[in-house]
């Protein structure tokens, strides 16, 4: 019944029902399917449920879920004695509910009412009186400071009240959002006796400049998805002796309307990531540890799904980009195209729910020193591992599905690696266009999956999420976030609409792209034009604006105008890139040159690119 | 070329291209189709356009649009002389663009950079130097204080700089958002000489507690959609002698991704509303005035579109609710059902793109003293007027389409009004269920149309939008807003998802409902149950929670439990209501009793209702 750790086991994992979309039935099924040990029952979910509390308890037991907390009880204390008496009576009715649920702990939030008690001893007295009623029934109260409480808005003030009340049935609930959103210091938890740490709620959040209540109610994230240092927070709580469940309480507008099964898996991944981050910092915390992520040292290949129409078109485009068809798969209709260290697979056997004639990024091949261990870790981090059939003389390939459905292969490029699956075509490579390798892949994410994807690549692959940026694109706002490996050997540029698009939004979904690296984009542009590559026309207004804004050398500006290049700068360097037309409605290519230490993805130019692609779509025959 | 008013005409109407979704081509076409006189060209739209400035000017001329402003020029002034010299050079390049466009005014925003100039005379000197360059080319600079400018963040400081600079080519741009978001007082505009009021940008906004930059960039609204007093603002600007265009500049995440033609019409409606509001306050402003809105004195009827499956089911439900089939349309398959003053039409001839077997609210009949004038006004307020065919001996009906497609009829209930279309069936009314009339209709709005709808009902029908509230519903957040007529004779409860729903969101679109009024909902519940009405089962947990929260009389609580009633309170009274099952997937009925001065719509209970409806859907045979 209680949420304490059992000897020999790690800490238990719980999730508040408010994190998940649907009715209580939907939420419990999702939490159980993701492997949670317990739930916090959010009162409005119970109120809307046809199950009596005891029926809910039975349902949870059937699903293998404990009920670890009933929450929230609001605005308990009052300077008005009659109001406090009514609040006590209200508490008694909720204690009845708890008895039915078989839960022993209720969350009491600090009051946000005008009549909230400010005087510390007066407040402690009301808390103690309520705790006494709870204690008589074998229940206990976890008191939490809301960041916007009328008088109690810091965990220190909530602890002061609990300490003064000095009641065995009264302790603290610590919530990472309420502490960290106000810049609170978890180091102080050490002063709290372990037996007073009744409950722990975990949530991350992006750094936003907004009212803290709105921030809390709409924009919380699961640990590892936001900007808070959750490992340090949890480390401090565990160091203070907390042994209850690690419980997620995330109010998020997107998760409130997304498939709860998917959200629950995302939530479980966030706890596994947090547990691992913590184990690294404080070994011996007793938490299970997945194998560490083998470093991803580069790109093996990018695979495009093609059909009988888009396949030959993709081959034509790759030819004009200077690629050579060097290999053919032993058993499948898959072509290998190469230039420098850039490798593209055209796969005619991938079943995709896309329209005929469309090409799409189907898979990423990432170099892993230990592909097997990469896959083992991915599975421990709740990634769906994909079944693979292996032909004679074919290398074993381990792959997982990313949130947008892209397959991620853990591979080795070598005689015993994935190239063993391919027979040489014997085609001679031409002069090429100076492409040296693959710089990054740009993947537009489903609206619901943007934050999930950041955590997926972080926890499963060990990539590091970068800042979220936002751009005003022609058909709506777009968020972008890169995830990168050590030494930037692997870069992915993720993007998603800020609001889910409706009927008016030409070009949805936004295209994916593959960006090839070069050391001389101007030479590459000449070679591509000579080969007849279908490059995107960039407006002259764009170059005029560049000239007005930046002190560019005359020859660079002339090259920008002549070849339709795009150019951006950051503090460390510059970025020249050119863009092709969209192939079969979904994928385009870029050739990019990084100058100095430029670390971005040409995002600021994306609106110009989108408008130009839109014009080509409009001009194209239907 | 300039935006000044022409003698004998009203002020000109303009819109910034940034208000609208799409490429510049899309935006201009939309602005022209909605009847705007001019546009502000937002620089990023031009940069992404393939048209040279002179080509854009020709395109605008073809569409009958003037270019009234080029914007924005950012971060002009600098404490670093080299930086300022570069900024001046940048300005010269933009003056070249303006020459091509044939526009004489550029918007210069106050700097948000760290190197912005604080010293008033230093700042005035840099503005004067830039204005001198502009003046030499026949151009002028409208200087605007951004609400988050480094040093210049109020209109008073921008005016101080312009006054000190004392340059004929330098004047003010006043922006209602920047002034009103900071609580600025438009009364001070009177001190500014009229010739220094170069430009005016209008935007409304909801009251939000958030960072002002984010508020401005994401949540602006068209006048009449938000909480600012735009009529007072514009009145002060006009009183100070401004004669330039009324130009809308609205940064809004939804409008950035919605059909620009529709947004432009919404924008035009907002200006017409504003012009009318102003004419009422300051007659003689020279603005055209649509006929005033005749008061809507009540409900004539609500019409449901039905088919061969849902029609008989709707008739059954109405029968169990105590209605009688009293009339049959002379020429169409339309039934009239009545109880008290509540009238429902079941129309089998409405073509709707809904699935077979579905019933939906198709039309609202509203009592107007002058239906013809109501329609005339609606047309002047940019509402689409619907064509009507009129049979022999049938009343003429004027109707317009609301943003969600619902038809709104302006009618009179009397011998010469709409009832003349119906022949009596001769059916005898039974005892009924105590329904006295129609309280309100609940209409779920398309995601993109929520703010548009508020303004539509305000401007077209003269209803008053109430506060927007938000509720955490089982499948995502929902916003609601009522629009009400004088004496609450007409009430509509509008709702929409806060985020557009995706694949997981059972029950989308949310149902519509028709709420009938009664003076005794308990008696009504008894009658309905006796008649076999299919009422929604309300969980016992709901009544338990009511008992814990409120001091309800025992008999009331017993009735709530016995009949599955829902109960809410506001400061003025209480609200008892009961809900039926959903008819054919889209429409349900409520019977509601207002006690005291309760002025709400039972919104807080909506999550309980939604969860219960969801369970019925799950239980229903497929």
């Amino acid at each position: 019944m209680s949420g304490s750790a059992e000897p020999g086991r790690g800490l238990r994992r719980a999730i508040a029902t408010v994190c998940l979309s649907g009715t209580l039935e939907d939420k419990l099924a999702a939490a159980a399917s993701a492997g949670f040990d317990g739930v916090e029952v959010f009162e409005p979910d119970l109120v809307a449920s046809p199950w009596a509390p005891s029926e809910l308890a039975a349902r949870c037991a059937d699903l293998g879920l404990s009920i670890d907390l009933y929450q929230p009880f609001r605005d308990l204390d009052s300077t008005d004695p009659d109001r406090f008496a009514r609040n006590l009576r209200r508490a008694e009715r909720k204690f009845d509910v708890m008895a039915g649920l078989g839960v022993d702990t209720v969350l009491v939030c600090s009051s946000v009412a005008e009549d909230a008690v400010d005087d510390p001893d007066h407040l402690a007295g009301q808390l103690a009186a309520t705790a006494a009623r709870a204690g008589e029934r074998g229940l206990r109260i976890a008191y939490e400071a809301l960041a916007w409480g009328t008088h109690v808005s810091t965990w220190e003030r909530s602890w002061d009240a609990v300490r003064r009340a000095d009641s065995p049935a009264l302790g603290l609930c610590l919530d990472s959002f309420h502490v960290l959103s106000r810049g609170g210091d978890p180091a102080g938890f050490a002063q709290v006796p372990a037996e007073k740490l009744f409950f722990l709620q975990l949530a991350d959040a992006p750094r936003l400049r907004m009212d803290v209540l709105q921030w809390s109610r709409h924009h919380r994230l699961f640990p590892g998805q936001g900007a808070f240092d959750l490992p340090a927070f949890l480390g401090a709580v565990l160091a203070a002796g907390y042994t209850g469940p690690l419980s997620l309480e995330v109010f998020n507008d997107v998760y409130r309307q997304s498939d709860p099964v998917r959200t629950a898996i995302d939530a479980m991944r966030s706890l596994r990531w947090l547990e691992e981050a913590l184990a690294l910092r404080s070994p011996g915390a007793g938490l299970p540890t997945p194998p560490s992520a083998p470093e991803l040292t580069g790109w093996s290949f990018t695979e495009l799904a093609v059909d009988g129409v888009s396949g030959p078109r993709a081959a034509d485009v790759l030819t004009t980009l200077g690629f050579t068809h060097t290999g053919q798969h032993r058993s499948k209709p898959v072509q290998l195209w190469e230039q420098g260290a850039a490798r593209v697979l055209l796969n005619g056997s991938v079943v995709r729910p896309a329209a005929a004639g469309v090409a799409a990024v189907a898979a990423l091949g990432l170099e892993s020193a230990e592909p097997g261990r990469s896959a083992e870790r991915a599975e421990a981090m709740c990634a769906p591992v994909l079944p693979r059939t292996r032909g004679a003389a074919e290398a074993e390939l381990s792959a997982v599905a990313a949130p947008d459905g892209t397959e991620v292969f853990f591979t080795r490029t070598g005689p015993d690696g994935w190239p063993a699956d391919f027979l040489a075509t014997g085609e001679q490579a031409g002069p090429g266009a100076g492409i040296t390798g693959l710089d990054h892949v740009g993947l537009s994410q489903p609206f619901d999956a943007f934050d999930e994807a950041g955590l997926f690549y972080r926890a499963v692959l060990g990539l590091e999420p970068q800042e979220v940026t936002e751009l005003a694109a022609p058909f709506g706002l777009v968020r972008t976030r890169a995830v990168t490996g050590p030494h930037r050997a692997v870069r992915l540029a993720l993007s998603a609409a800020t609001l889910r698009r409706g009927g008016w939004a030409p070009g949805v979904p936004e295209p994916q792209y593959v960006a090839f690296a070069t050391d001389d984009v101007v030479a590459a542009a000449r070679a591509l034009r000579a080969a007849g590559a279908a490059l995107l026309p960039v407006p002259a207004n764009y170059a005029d604006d560049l000239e007005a804004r930046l002190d560019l050398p005359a020859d660079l500006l002339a090259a920008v105008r002549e070849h339709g290049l795009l150019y951006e700068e950051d503090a460390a360097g510059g970025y020249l890139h050119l863009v092709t037309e969209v192939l079969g409605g979904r994928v385009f290519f870029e050739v990019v040159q990084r100058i100095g230490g430029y670390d971005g993805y040409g995002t600021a130019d994306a609106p110009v690119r989108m408008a130009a692609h839109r014009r080509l779509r409009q001009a194209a025959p239907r």
Side-chain angles (χ1 to χ4, degrees), chain A:
Chain A
M1 179 160 117
S2 142
S4 297
E6 295 164 27
R9 288 190 58 199
L11 294 172
R12 301 172 61 262
R13 302 185 189 100
I15 186 167
T17 56
V18 74
C19 302
L20 301 169
S21 185
T23 61
L24 195 51
E25 300 91 307
D26 300 318
K27 294 167 188 237
L28 295 179
S33 74
F36 280 93
D37 303 303
V39 294
E40 302 177 21
V41 171
F42 186 59
E43 182 167 284
D45 288 324
L46 176 71
V47 167
S49 168
W51 291 324
S54 60
E55 291 174 306
L56 172 56
R59 175 70 180 147
C60 286
D62 287 347
L63 290 167
L65 294 168
S66 59
I67 301 176
D68 294 315
L69 188 74
Y70 187 68
Q71 64 119 325
F73 189 92
R74 298 188 191 277
D75 300 334
L76 169 66
D77 52 286
S78 175
T79 52
D80 173 350
D82 290 344
R83 172 75 67 93
F84 178 63
R86 287 201 299 279
N87 290 344
L88 261 186
R89 201 193 58 212
R90 172 162 60 100
E92 291 280 9
R93 295 289 74 74
K94 298 304 179 183
F95 295 161
D96 297 342
V97 171
M98 292 171 67
L101 291 173
V103 59
D104 65 0
T105 309
V106 61
L107 175 72
V108 171
C109 310
S110 61
S111 174
V112 301
E114 279 187 29
D115 65 345
V117 175
D118 193 7
D119 177 77
D121 288 318
H122 189 184
L123 173 62
Q126 294 195 349
L127 288 171
T130 315
R133 307 275 190 106
E136 285 166 15
R137 302 174 65 159
L139 306 176
R140 54 184 212 161
I141 290 171
Y143 182 60
E144 172 186 78
L146 296 179
W148 55 92
T150 307
H151 302 299
V152 178
S153 59
T154 63
W155 79 265
E156 287 92 344
R157 275 219 62 178
S158 63
W159 168 231
D160 176 72
V162 168
R163 191 181 51 75
R164 286 174 194 256
D166 193 24
S167 162
L170 181 68
L172 277 187
C173 175
L174 294 174
D175 179 305
S176 60
F177 181 88
H178 291 302
V179 175
L180 298 176
S181 63
R182 296 185 54 107
D185 183 4
F189 299 160
Q191 74 185 263
V192 182
E195 68 272 15
K196 284 297 181 188
L197 296 172
F198 278 14
F199 210 78
L200 171 66
Q201 292 179 316
L202 295 169
D204 203 344
R207 287 264 168 232
L208 296 175
R209 290 173 59 185
M210 67 189 308
D211 177 63
V212 67
L213 186 152
Q214 298 298 326
W215 187 16
S216 174
R217 293 254 174 99
H218 298 280
H219 301 286
R220 289 188 180 205
L221 292 169
F222 293 115
Q225 295 181 331
F228 290 165
D229 188 348
L230 267 295
F233 182 90
L234 177 56
V237 176
L238 294 178
Y242 177 75
T243 57
L246 307 184
S247 191
L248 297 164
E249 189 197 32
V250 170
F251 304 87
N252 179 290
D253 290 358
V254 173
Y255 299 146
R256 280 186 187 276
Q257 58 122 52
S258 309
D259 179 351
V261 171
R262 185 161 183 159
T263 306
I265 292 169
D266 193 21
M268 176 57 73
R269 180 180 299 128
S270 81
L271 282 184
R272 296 203 178 165
W273 171 83
L274 183 59
E275 290 161 6
E276 176 182 62
L278 205 74
L280 293 175
R281 294 192 193 191
S282 66
L287 300 168
T289 311
S292 65
E295 185 175 324
L296 300 175
T297 54
W299 291 95
S300 311
F301 58 78
T302 301
E303 180 179 278
L304 305 185
V306 293
D307 64 9
V309 174
S310 59
R313 287 191 57 198
D316 284 349
V317 172
L318 289 172
T319 302
T320 64
L321 293 176
F323 280 75
T324 303
H325 178 197
T326 57
Q328 189 68 38
H329 196 276
R330 291 173 183 275
S331 63
K332 296 173 192 160
V334 182
Q335 300 178 351
L336 168 60
W337 290 72
E338 293 188 83
Q339 182 176 184
R343 302 173 204 98
V344 176
L345 306 183
L346 300 182
N347 189 338
S349 72
V350 180
V351 178
R352 285 253 152 191
V358 169
V361 174
L364 311 174
L366 299 174
E367 294 278 328
S368 168
E370 295 180 58
R373 186 154 65 94
S374 290
E376 191 184 331
R377 175 191 173 76
E379 189 163 17
M381 285 294 183
C382 316
V385 175
L386 298 168
R388 294 295 300 176
T389 54
R390 181 179 172 178
E394 288 178 12
E396 185 167 354
L397 290 173
S398 302
V400 296
D404 65 354
T406 302
E407 300 184 357
V408 178
F409 286 87
F410 303 110
T411 57
R412 265 205 307 273
T413 302
D416 60 336
W418 67 273
D421 292 0
F422 288 84
L423 298 171
T425 60
E427 282 187 30
Q428 292 301 311
I435 285 171
T436 58
L438 201 151
D439 186 87
H440 69 278
V441 176
L443 295 174
S444 55
Q445 302 295 299
F447 172 77
D448 286 344
F450 187 75
D451 290 310
E452 177 189 353
L455 180 61
F456 175 91
Y457 288 108
R458 179 178 214 173
V460 175
L461 274 67
L463 303 181
E464 198 54 39
Q466 306 299 316
E467 288 289 294
V468 175
T469 59
E470 201 171 88
L471 62 119
F475 305 107
L477 297 179
V478 172
R479 288 172 298 173
T480 69
R481 179 178 216 176
V483 290
T484 57
H487 318 299
R488 303 293 194 260
V490 173
R491 297 172 181 265
L492 285 170
L494 311 176
S495 64
T498 302
L499 292 178
R500 191 193 305 278
R501 300 292 168 80
W504 163 265
V508 172
E510 277 302 319
Q512 308 165 320
Y513 67 94
V514 182
F516 300 115
T518 183
D519 297 325
D520 186 346
V521 78
V522 175
R526 287 206 184 93
L528 301 189
R529 286 178 176 250
L535 301 183
L536 186 71
V538 173
N541 294 336
Y542 173 80
D544 292 345
D545 183 60
L546 268 191
E547 183 175 359
R549 286 192 291 113
L550 304 173
D551 279 317
L552 292 183
D555 59 339
L556 177 57
L557 199 58
V560 164
R561 290 189 191 279
E562 180 182 350
H563 299 294
L565 303 181
L566 297 165
Y567 179 75
E568 272 184 38
E569 290 182 351
D570 65 11
Y575 188 67
L576 279 163
H577 56 133
L578 60 81
V579 179
T580 72
E581 293 185 3
V582 176
L583 174 70
R586 190 76 210 274
V587 182
F588 64 90
F589 300 100
E590 295 202 6
V591 181
V592 313
Q593 179 183 358
R594 293 180 184 272
I595 301 165
Y598 178 86
D599 198 30
Y601 301 85
T603 305
D605 291 330
V608 174
R609 187 258 298 161
M610 291 178 189
H613 273 147
R614 150 91 159 147
R615 279 189 299 276
L616 290 181
R617 277 198 307 276
Q618 287 179 314
R622 299 280 162 145

